[in-house]
């Protein structure tokens, strides 16, 4: 199986490297320190076609497949993982949910604005007391004629405050019923819908994570995606693709940390030779390179299967699980290779180290991935 970069992937990779060097890298440290979410960068990514990578051209998107999408996230995450995370969440969750389950009228209404980043998207499933246990969500919607009235709160939401539109999954039936949840599209400015507290995070600090609060928020029935009661089932399918996104994000972090450590190990001299000559460092690099290659193969295999319309439940979970854990291990070793310098903000591995941990938590923890994998192989 050939996972070499095709012409589109090569073009995307070079475009992102050029864009990142000009628009992101000069400001990255300041934005990280201030937890500033650069909406202007997201808008420019929209102009480059990177906010609607998978959206067909008829809806204003780029019309690419998952190989190009993985490449885009990977390259963007090598520049800054926070921007990679925001781009991925916008594409695979909010935009992806509408693309997969919206009707033609809904696609024409929302996808062109999302694909061009005229609007930034958010996606809400998680609540303060229900992370992996989504079936016990407390946010509800009750029907009132042609409208549904939503009450409750979602948290850990990427673009929870700055997003212009959100896909939100709420309970419309009994607690614990997988057919008791429904997906609604809610536009910013809708009465009763507002952003809440913004999280102060260890890493991924350029990507906004915040609450979404609903207080007697009236949403028309035309904003329901698919059928009433199908929201949770839709979400699980959306997350299958989302796991590939996080695998690609993890891959970018791991590649960025490895590249920095490899270069430093050849530049840094101790005892009159590059530290890469010492077996202790050389073996670390060998382990890092091997883990990176395995993560790359798993991620692009999942992307290939997704492109061909095949089930990716197990493969995307494997890719996400291995790549995210590898990103943590590789970035940890990168800091170790840099020594004291790796513990400072003067070098990029410190940020890769902080940013990597989120990948083992977001869109399903490593433990949940193992649950998905084990259930699949034990069927």
């Amino acid at each position: 199986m050939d996972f070499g970069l095709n012409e589109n992937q090569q073009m995307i990779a070079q475009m992102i490297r050029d864009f990142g060097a000009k628009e992101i890298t000069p400001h990255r440290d300041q934005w990280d320190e201030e937890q500033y979410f650069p909406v202007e960068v997201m808008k420019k990514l929209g102009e480059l076609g990177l906010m609607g990578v998978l959206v067909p051209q008829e809806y204003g998107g780029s019309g690419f497949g998952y190989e190009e999408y993985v490449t885009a996230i990977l390259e963007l995450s090598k520049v800054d993982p926070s921007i990679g995370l925001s781009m991925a969440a916008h594409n695979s969750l909010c935009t992806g949910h509408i693309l997969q389950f919206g009707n033609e009228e809904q696609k024409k209404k929302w996808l062109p604005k999302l694909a061009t980043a005229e609007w930034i998207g958010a996606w809400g499933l998680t609540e303060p007391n229900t992370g992996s246990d989504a079936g016990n969500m407390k946010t509800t919607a009750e029907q009132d004629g042609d409208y549904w009235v939503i009450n409750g709160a979602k948290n850990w939401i990427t673009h929870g405050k700055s997003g212009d539109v959100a896909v939100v999954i709420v309970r419309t039936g009994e607690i614990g019923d997988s057919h008791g949840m429904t997906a609604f599209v809610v536009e910013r400015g809708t009465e009763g819908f507002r952003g809440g507290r913004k999280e102060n995070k260890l890493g991924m600090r350029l990507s906004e994570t915040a609450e979404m609060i609903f207080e007697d928020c009236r949403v028309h029935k035309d904003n329901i995606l698919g059928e009433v009661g199908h929201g949770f089932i839709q979400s699980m399918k959306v997350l299958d693709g989302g796991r590939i996104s996080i695998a690609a994000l993890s891959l970018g972090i791991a590649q960025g940390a490895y590249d920095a450590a490899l270069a430093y190990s050849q530049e840094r001299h101790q005892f009159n030779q590059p530290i890469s000559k010492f077996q202790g460092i050389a073996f670390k690099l060998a382990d890092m390179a091997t883990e990176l290659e395995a993560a790359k193969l798993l991620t692009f295999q999942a992307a290939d299967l997704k492109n061909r319309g095949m089930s990716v439940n197990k493969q995307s979970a494997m890719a996400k699980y291995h790549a995210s854990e590898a990103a943590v291990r590789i970035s940890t070793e990168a800091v170790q290779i840099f020594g004291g310098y790796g513990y400072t903000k003067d070098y990029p591995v410190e940020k890769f180290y902080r940013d990597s941990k989120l990948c083992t938590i977001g869109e399903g923890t490593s433990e949940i991935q193992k649950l998905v994998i084990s259930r699949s192989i034990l069927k």
Side-chain angles (χ1 to χ4, degrees):
M1 195 173 293
D2 180 17
F3 292 131
L5 298 186
N6 61 37
E7 188 176 344
N8 286 333
Q9 290 172 283
Q10 292 175 26
M11 176 195 71
I12 289 168
Q14 188 59 56
M15 178 178 71
I16 291 174
R17 285 194 286 267
D18 293 341
F19 176 82
K22 180 181 178 183
E23 302 288 348
I24 300 174
T25 303
H27 314 287
R28 181 176 55 201
D29 292 345
Q30 181 182 349
W31 290 345
D32 178 71
E33 193 72 27
E34 297 174 355
Q35 290 205 89
Y36 173 71
F37 173 48
V39 176
E40 65 275 17
V41 168
M42 308 309 290
K43 300 287 187 182
K44 290 176 181 177
L45 289 174
E47 293 172 8
L48 295 176
L50 294 174
M51 297 296 274
V53 180
L54 301 167
V55 176
Q57 292 180 356
E58 63 188 284
Y59 303 118
S62 297
F64 287 132
Y66 261 79
E67 281 95 348
E68 288 86 358
Y69 180 44
V70 165
T71 299
I73 298 172
L74 190 163
E75 291 295 335
L76 202 51
S77 301
K78 283 163 60 178
V79 179
D80 188 272
S82 304
I83 304 298
L85 172 63
S86 276
M87 176 267 202
H90 173 96
N91 273 278
S92 70
L93 298 181
C94 180
T95 306
H97 200 138
I98 295 171
L99 180 61
Q100 276 189 262
F101 298 104
N103 58 39
E104 191 62 22
E105 184 179 343
Q106 291 170 332
K107 290 178 183 179
K108 288 180 177 177
K109 180 178 182 180
W110 289 304
L111 289 181
K113 292 182 179 180
L114 287 164
T116 57
E118 178 184 344
W119 282 10
I120 303 298
W123 191 78
L125 178 66
T126 304
E127 297 185 1
N129 295 309
T130 57
S132 301
D133 185 18
N136 277 309
M137 66 173 57
K138 302 296 189 292
T139 302
T140 61
E142 296 184 1
Q143 191 167 11
D144 180 17
D146 286 343
Y147 287 81
W148 289 75
V149 183
I150 303 176
N151 280 286
K154 299 290 181 179
N155 73 336
W156 305 110
I157 308 304
T158 304
H159 313 146
K161 293 185 74 169
S162 297
D164 300 287
V165 63
V167 174
V168 57
I169 297 85
V170 302
R171 186 163 57 79
T172 52
E174 296 299 317
I175 289 179
D177 180 6
S178 63
H179 288 85
M181 289 162 272
T182 303
F184 292 84
V185 180
V186 188
E187 296 180 12
R188 188 71 63 184
T190 303
E191 188 174 352
F193 172 40
R194 61 184 174 86
R197 185 172 71 97
K198 180 179 176 180
E199 302 295 342
N200 184 11
K201 300 176 296 182
L202 167 71
M204 298 292 190
R205 291 166 63 87
L206 279 67
S207 180
E208 178 188 273
T209 305
E211 293 177 308
M212 294 194 301
I213 297 171
F214 301 88
E215 297 172 324
D216 294 328
C217 178
R218 294 174 63 83
V219 180
H220 196 271
K221 64 181 182 181
D222 289 346
N223 285 34
I224 292 174
L225 292 173
E227 298 181 31
V228 172
H230 285 199
F232 180 75
I233 297 165
Q234 292 173 8
S235 298
M236 294 303 100
K237 293 178 180 177
V238 168
L239 285 172
D240 276 348
R243 291 184 187 120
I244 299 174
S245 300
I246 301 300
L249 173 63
S250 304
L251 197 54
I253 293 171
Q255 185 75 62
Y258 169 76
D259 289 345
L262 178 63
Y264 181 80
S265 73
Q266 294 169 314
E267 295 165 2
R268 171 73 166 172
H269 282 66
Q270 292 285 274
F271 304 101
N272 302 314
Q273 62 180 330
I275 62 172
S276 60
K277 294 289 186 181
F278 295 105
Q279 191 177 79
I281 300 298
F283 278 15
K284 284 184 186 295
L285 292 168
D287 286 338
M288 294 160 75
T290 303
E291 286 211 72
L292 183 57
E293 195 67 21
K296 191 177 298 182
L297 290 169
L298 281 168
T299 303
F300 277 98
Q301 180 194 48
D304 177 63
L305 291 172
K306 182 73 173 174
N307 258 358
R308 291 190 278 139
M310 300 176 71
S311 172
V312 293
N313 181 255
K314 180 180 73 172
Q315 284 78 9
S316 65
M318 284 180 168
K320 197 270 188 189
Y321 169 53
H322 178 78
S324 62
E325 293 290 344
V328 172
R329 289 191 292 267
I330 290 170
S331 59
T332 299
E333 291 288 46
V335 170
Q336 197 71 16
I337 288 171
F338 270 79
Y341 291 112
Y343 203 65
T344 72
K345 294 182 182 292
D346 295 331
Y347 291 88
V349 292
E350 176 269 346
K351 188 174 186 304
F352 285 128
Y353 176 73
R354 286 188 290 110
D355 288 346
S356 67
K357 189 57 193 170
L358 182 277
C359 298
T360 69
I361 299 170
E363 294 193 36
T365 63
S366 291
E367 290 71 24
I368 289 297
Q369 303 314 312
K370 287 192 275 189
L371 184 64
V372 171
I373 296 164
S374 61
R375 283 178 175 174
S376 178
I377 62 179
L378 292 171
K379 277 184 181 178

